PDB file of all heavy atoms in Angstrom:
ATOM      1  N   ASP F  83     -17.920  34.679 -18.291  1.00 93.00           N
ATOM      2  CA  ASP F  83     -18.809  33.579 -18.659  1.00 93.00           C
ATOM      3  C   ASP F  83     -18.163  32.823 -19.813  1.00 93.00           C
ATOM      4  O   ASP F  83     -17.481  33.418 -20.658  1.00 93.00           O
ATOM      5  CB  ASP F  83     -20.173  34.103 -19.107  1.00 93.00           C
ATOM      6  CG  ASP F  83     -20.996  34.656 -17.953  1.00 93.00           C
ATOM      7  OD1 ASP F  83     -20.582  34.470 -16.784  1.00 93.00           O
ATOM      8  OD2 ASP F  83     -22.046  35.264 -18.222  1.00 93.00           O
ATOM      9  N   HIS F  84     -18.373  31.520 -19.829  1.00 86.00           N
ATOM     10  CA  HIS F  84     -17.788  30.706 -20.897  1.00 86.00           C
ATOM     11  C   HIS F  84     -18.493  30.973 -22.210  1.00 86.00           C
ATOM     12  O   HIS F  84     -19.718  31.086 -22.261  1.00 86.00           O
ATOM     13  CB  HIS F  84     -17.894  29.228 -20.547  1.00 86.00           C
ATOM     14  CG  HIS F  84     -17.336  28.330 -21.604  1.00 86.00           C
ATOM     15  ND1 HIS F  84     -15.995  28.241 -21.866  1.00 86.00           N
ATOM     16  CD2 HIS F  84     -17.947  27.486 -22.481  1.00 86.00           C
ATOM     17  CE1 HIS F  84     -15.790  27.386 -22.845  1.00 86.00           C
ATOM     18  NE2 HIS F  84     -16.957  26.908 -23.246  1.00 86.00           N
ATOM     19  N   ARG F 190     -15.893  31.175  -9.511  1.00 95.00           N
ATOM     20  CA  ARG F 190     -16.327  32.399  -8.848  1.00 95.00           C
ATOM     21  C   ARG F 190     -16.352  32.276  -7.321  1.00 95.00           C
ATOM     22  O   ARG F 190     -16.169  33.260  -6.622  1.00 95.00           O
ATOM     23  CB  ARG F 190     -17.696  32.821  -9.383  1.00 95.00           C
ATOM     24  CG  ARG F 190     -17.639  33.340 -10.825  1.00 95.00           C
ATOM     25  CD  ARG F 190     -18.919  34.034 -11.260  1.00 95.00           C
ATOM     26  NE  ARG F 190     -18.706  34.813 -12.463  1.00 95.00           N
ATOM     27  CZ  ARG F 190     -19.022  34.426 -13.690  1.00 95.00           C
ATOM     28  NH1 ARG F 190     -19.569  33.226 -13.885  1.00 95.00           N
ATOM     29  NH2 ARG F 190     -18.793  35.205 -14.736  1.00 95.00           N
ATOM     30  N   CYS F 196     -21.786  28.900 -10.198  1.00 96.00           N
ATOM     31  CA  CYS F 196     -22.492  29.865 -11.043  1.00 96.00           C
ATOM     32  C   CYS F 196     -23.193  29.232 -12.237  1.00 96.00           C
ATOM     33  O   CYS F 196     -24.229  29.716 -12.683  1.00 96.00           O
ATOM     34  CB  CYS F 196     -21.539  30.965 -11.504  1.00 96.00           C
ATOM     35  SG  CYS F 196     -20.315  30.456 -12.748  1.00 96.00           S
ATOM     36  N   GLY F 197     -22.615  28.162 -12.797  1.00 96.00           N
ATOM     37  CA  GLY F 197     -23.204  27.540 -13.973  1.00 96.00           C
ATOM     38  C   GLY F 197     -22.829  28.219 -15.274  1.00 96.00           C
ATOM     39  O   GLY F 197     -23.269  27.781 -16.345  1.00 96.00           O
ATOM     40  N   ARG F 198     -22.008  29.270 -15.237  1.00 95.00           N
ATOM     41  CA  ARG F 198     -21.703  30.039 -16.446  1.00 95.00           C
ATOM     42  C   ARG F 198     -20.219  30.127 -16.769  1.00 95.00           C
ATOM     43  O   ARG F 198     -19.861  30.355 -17.924  1.00 95.00           O
ATOM     44  CB  ARG F 198     -22.255  31.473 -16.309  1.00 95.00           C
ATOM     45  CG  ARG F 198     -23.732  31.553 -15.996  1.00 95.00           C
ATOM     46  CD  ARG F 198     -24.231  32.988 -15.972  1.00 95.00           C
ATOM     47  NE  ARG F 198     -23.426  33.861 -15.118  1.00 95.00           N
ATOM     48  CZ  ARG F 198     -23.574  33.971 -13.803  1.00 95.00           C
ATOM     49  NH1 ARG F 198     -24.477  33.229 -13.166  1.00 95.00           N
ATOM     50  NH2 ARG F 198     -22.826  34.797 -13.102  1.00 95.00           N
ATOM     51  N   CYS F 199     -19.350  29.991 -15.780  1.00 95.00           N
ATOM     52  CA  CYS F 199     -17.915  30.107 -16.047  1.00 95.00           C
ATOM     53  C   CYS F 199     -17.421  28.857 -16.776  1.00 95.00           C
ATOM     54  O   CYS F 199     -18.149  27.871 -16.933  1.00 95.00           O
ATOM     55  CB  CYS F 199     -17.146  30.313 -14.743  1.00 95.00           C
ATOM     56  SG  CYS F 199     -17.106  28.864 -13.655  1.00 95.00           S
ATOM     57  N   THR F 203     -19.246  25.169 -16.926  1.00 95.00           N
ATOM     58  CA  THR F 203     -19.703  24.681 -18.222  1.00 95.00           C
ATOM     59  C   THR F 203     -19.088  23.321 -18.536  1.00 95.00           C
ATOM     60  O   THR F 203     -19.775  22.394 -18.992  1.00 95.00           O
ATOM     61  CB  THR F 203     -19.336  25.683 -19.330  1.00 95.00           C
ATOM     62  OG1 THR F 203     -19.963  26.942 -19.049  1.00 95.00           O
ATOM     63  CG2 THR F 203     -19.803  25.191 -20.686  1.00 95.00           C
ATOM     64  N   GLN F 221     -26.374  28.546  -9.887  1.00 95.00           N
ATOM     65  CA  GLN F 221     -27.094  29.825  -9.894  1.00 95.00           C
ATOM     66  C   GLN F 221     -27.960  29.943 -11.131  1.00 95.00           C
ATOM     67  O   GLN F 221     -29.026  30.558 -11.099  1.00 95.00           O
ATOM     68  CB  GLN F 221     -26.098  30.985  -9.853  1.00 95.00           C
ATOM     69  CG  GLN F 221     -25.320  31.117  -8.558  1.00 95.00           C
ATOM     70  CD  GLN F 221     -24.307  32.234  -8.626  1.00 95.00           C
ATOM     71  OE1 GLN F 221     -24.489  33.215  -9.361  1.00 95.00           O
ATOM     72  NE2 GLN F 221     -23.225  32.108  -7.881  1.00 95.00           N
ATOM     73  N   THR F 222     -27.483  29.367 -12.228  1.00 84.00           N
ATOM     74  CA  THR F 222     -28.257  29.367 -13.472  1.00 84.00           C
ATOM     75  C   THR F 222     -28.391  27.946 -13.979  1.00 84.00           C
ATOM     76  O   THR F 222     -27.526  27.106 -13.725  1.00 84.00           O
ATOM     77  CB  THR F 222     -27.571  30.216 -14.564  1.00 84.00           C
ATOM     78  OG1 THR F 222     -26.292  29.655 -14.839  1.00 84.00           O
ATOM     79  CG2 THR F 222     -27.428  31.657 -14.125  1.00 84.00           C
TER      80      THR F 222
END
Side-chain angles (χ1 to χ4, degrees):
D83 289 351
H84 179 70
R190 289 192 164 99
C196 72
R198 305 184 309 277
C199 70
T203 300
Q221 292 177 28
T222 61

